[in-house]
Amino acid sequence: MTYEDNFPYETYRKYQRGVLKQVEKSFGEGKDNFILEAPPGFGKSAVNVAVAKSFKSAYIVTTQKVLQDIYKTYGLPIIKGRSNYICPVTEKSSDMAPCTFVRDYLKDEGCDYLFEGECPYNVAKQECVESDVCVMNLSYAFILPYPFEKRDLLIVDEAHNIDNLALDYATMSFSRKLLGEEVPTLGSIEEYAEYLSDAIPKLKEMVKKEQNKYEKVEDEAYVRSIKRIEKLIDKISVFSNDVKDGNQWIVERSKWNIKFTPVTVDRFVKDILWWKGDKTMCSTATVLDGKIFKNELGIEGKAGFVSVPSSFPKQNRPVYFLPVGLMSYKKKEETMPFMADMIGRICKKYGGENVIVHANSYDNARMLSEIIKTDKEIIFQEQSEREASLRQFVKGSNKLFISVKMTEGIDLIGDKCRVNIISKIAFPSMADERIKERIKMEDGWYDWKTVIELLQAIGRTTRSDTDRSDTYILDSSFGFLHSKNKHLFPKWFEEAIQWNRKPFQIYDKGKVVSEINKLVKELGKEYGDVYLSEIQKETHYSNLVISYALNTLEYQHKITRPANDIAKIKSMDV
């Protein structure tokens, strides 16, 4: 029986059959790892299912919960974290169930629901344990509770996210007043490791006290406290042992908390993930650089590799680069009026269509939402209402969604979204001490992370071979990023980008200021006081762009023009 015999559909999308043959050949030649790079719409999930079913036992691990539901449509059992199930005892989330924290709960009292097969979490868990192929998210796979065991194959879908989730797994943050006293400022990471190791016995005593309190009053506050302390104990143990092995960590102290972050995570991925499959397979749209990818994720040994081109017509997914201005911290205030103006013009062109803007930060999103002029309904993605904001956007038409971190895990197919705007290239923050240290350790890593984020954002639209959407990159920094890293950009992107086509005029800031300056002088001579409405009649620029020029000129005129003329400028109705 071949891998093709386990393919879940009667027909193949373009390239799927060829990829299955390459995966089968690679594993047949004795390679322990395989890496599949395929753009959105290739159908990675179907290929992953076929490969998994070709082994006696396999795990399919996703980095996003939403992908688990996709695999469920193939008839595979899935297991999620306890918080996704209701405990029949408490009728609340299963992560607060008594069996997870009360000492000897099952041994002394027993749980009727568990043994009668009515505990939803344990029913799902047992189904996965007994199935040849089961699906779980990466956080669950890191822990992999009993009685799960090592399997013949481990597949990780959207594998480019492994490092971020492993970083979250290892990072440790807690109050500076640990055990009721201030954690001292120490001279080295080794001293912190020793100090925290010495605190573990006291933390364990705290757990016992909290358990006693709960057993008397059954207050959920004690449950949360128990779980928080137990998690901290585990993280301190990992941290201390890792420091003893000579690995580099960053310590950051804020007003209230102290945080410890590893600079690299490859060793953690080896310890908590890769050993769970005799063979491994990674699938993602963004490998980009095989060496960096393997180093970052701790993949050892020889690996088979295939990179698949896009099967979508390039005319259905054009990418336009319109360098409106730089959106760096120092430059974004200057660029923002021009950015909002361009987004407004794009919205006007696509009347009735849904448009998404990837703003990268809530600060950027808030600024844009306040100044963009459009007849579309503007949806600002509230930090606490991520999913609700997305649902509001995809229902209906003629909406502008100003989003943050919506670059993955969403499928904006068809009329859900026809225009995809990248207003800010998502460079990793240089304010992060870990990022600074990580850059020193590997050439190209910083740009590699940036390009992954960009390509993932572009892939949110045009989701089938008959779908269509237009993408606009407005952050001027893309030009340098691309010219420096052409080797990172896959063929499906290069064939889509329209370097020589500019659907909209790009305004030169200096030229705009000069034109408005000349116009103000001419109108001032003719009418005396100059008002915004008079300027609007004489130019095609929007209020946003005119206001930018006036603000700039106001400063210049204080230096170069007589006092009476300054008053005229200040009296303008802006």
Side-chain angles (χ1 to χ4, degrees), residues 326-334 363-364 424 431:
L326 295 172
M327 286 291 286
S328 62
Y329 180 77
K330 292 182 179 180
K331 292 288 187 179
K332 71 177 182 180
E333 186 174 350
E334 174 185 323
D363 182 50
N364 291 343
K424 171 73 172 72

Side-chain angles (χ1 to χ4, degrees), residues 82-128:
R82 282 181 171 272
S83 62
N84 295 277
Y85 304 89
I86 299 298
C87 170
V89 176
T90 63
E91 296 184 346
K92 296 180 180 178
S93 173
S94 284
D95 63 343
M96 305 289 279
C99 61
T100 66
F101 59 88
V102 177
R103 291 168 295 185
D104 300 324
Y105 176 78
L106 293 177
K107 183 175 71 176
D108 293 343
E109 299 181 27
C111 179
D112 293 338
Y113 294 98
L114 173 60
F115 295 112
E116 291 179 8
E118 296 180 20
C119 171
Y121 168 72
N122 276 285
V123 168
K125 179 181 174 183
Q126 192 60 32
E127 185 182 7
C128 281

Side-chain angles (χ1 to χ4, degrees), residues 260-278:
F260 296 88
T261 310
V263 176
T264 56
V265 296
D266 55 305
R267 60 195 179 278
F268 296 112
V269 183
K270 295 175 192 175
D271 291 343
I272 62 179
L273 186 63
W274 295 136
W275 68 267
K276 293 164 185 175
D278 283 329

Side-chain angles (χ1 to χ4, degrees), residues 254-314:
S254 65
K255 184 177 181 180
W256 305 110
N257 296 322
I258 186 167
K259 180 180 178 183
F260 296 88
T261 310
V263 176
T264 56
V265 296
D266 55 305
R267 60 195 179 278
F268 296 112
V269 183
K270 295 175 192 175
D271 291 343
I272 62 179
L273 186 63
W274 295 136
W275 68 267
K276 293 164 185 175
D278 283 329
K279 292 186 181 295
T280 68
M281 177 173 167
C282 295
S283 64
T284 174
T286 47
V287 174
L288 309 186
D289 185 304
K291 180 180 177 182
I292 297 179
F293 185 86
K294 288 180 67 178
N295 288 345
E296 183 75 351
L297 304 188
I299 299 173
E300 296 180 333
K302 293 183 179 180
F305 173 72
V306 61
S307 182
V308 182
S310 176
S311 60
F312 300 168
K314 61 184 180 182

Side-chain angles (χ1 to χ4, degrees), residues 392-526:
Q392 182 184 357
F393 172 60
V394 298
K395 290 182 179 179
S397 59
N398 203 37
K399 296 180 180 181
L400 173 63
F401 184 28
I402 304 178
S403 72
V404 180
K405 300 300 180 184
M406 283 284 185
T407 55
E408 295 189 45
I410 61 172
D411 184 359
L412 300 178
I413 192 170
D415 290 335
K416 289 181 179 179
C417 186
R418 293 296 184 188
V419 185
N420 194 3
I421 299 176
I422 316 295
S423 65
K424 171 73 172 72
I425 299 294
F427 292 96
S429 173
M430 289 301 292
D432 188 328
E433 292 300 320
R434 176 194 173 256
I435 298 298
K436 293 179 183 178
E437 291 301 316
R438 186 66 183 84
I439 290 171
K440 298 175 185 177
M441 300 178 71
E442 187 166 17
D443 289 340
W445 175 86
Y446 184 78
D447 290 342
W448 175 73
K449 291 292 288 184
T450 303
V451 176
I452 285 177
E453 189 84 1
L454 172 63
L455 295 178
Q456 288 291 331
I458 292 171
R460 293 316 92 208
T461 54
T462 307
R463 305 288 294 180
S464 74
D465 55 2
T466 58
D467 195 9
R468 59 170 182 79
S469 68
D470 294 345
T471 294
Y472 294 88
I473 302 175
L474 307 185
D475 186 345
S476 297
S477 62
F478 169 73
F480 177 72
L481 176 70
H482 183 271
S483 64
K484 180 184 175 186
N485 299 283
K486 290 181 180 179
H487 65 287
L488 293 179
F489 288 86
K491 181 180 178 181
W492 62 263
F493 174 84
E494 293 294 347
E495 66 187 13
I497 191 161
Q498 309 291 304
W499 292 109
N500 298 320
R501 290 186 61 193
K502 305 294 181 187
F504 299 90
Q505 182 182 357
I506 302 168
Y507 299 145
D508 177 271
K509 297 182 183 67
K511 185 178 179 181
V512 168
V513 171
S514 177
E515 288 180 11
I516 298 298
N517 186 29
K518 181 180 179 181
L519 183 59
V520 168
K521 289 180 180 179
E522 291 174 351
L523 292 172
K525 290 179 180 178
E526 186 172 351

Side-chain angles (χ1 to χ4, degrees), residues 45 48 59-72 76 78-80 134-142 154-162 165 273 281 283:
S45 59
N48 290 340
Y59 294 121
I60 297 179
V61 178
T62 72
T63 58
Q64 300 159 8
K65 289 181 181 179
V66 67
L67 293 175
Q68 287 182 272
D69 296 325
I70 293 175
Y71 283 103
K72 193 173 183 178
L76 299 177
I78 65 173
I79 181 68
K80 298 180 180 180
C134 74
V135 182
M136 60 186 65
N137 62 55
L138 193 58
S139 297
Y140 195 92
F142 283 165
L154 171 70
I155 296 177
V156 183
D157 197 357
E158 301 296 344
H160 61 277
N161 281 318
I162 292 175
L165 292 171
L273 186 63
M281 177 173 167
S283 64

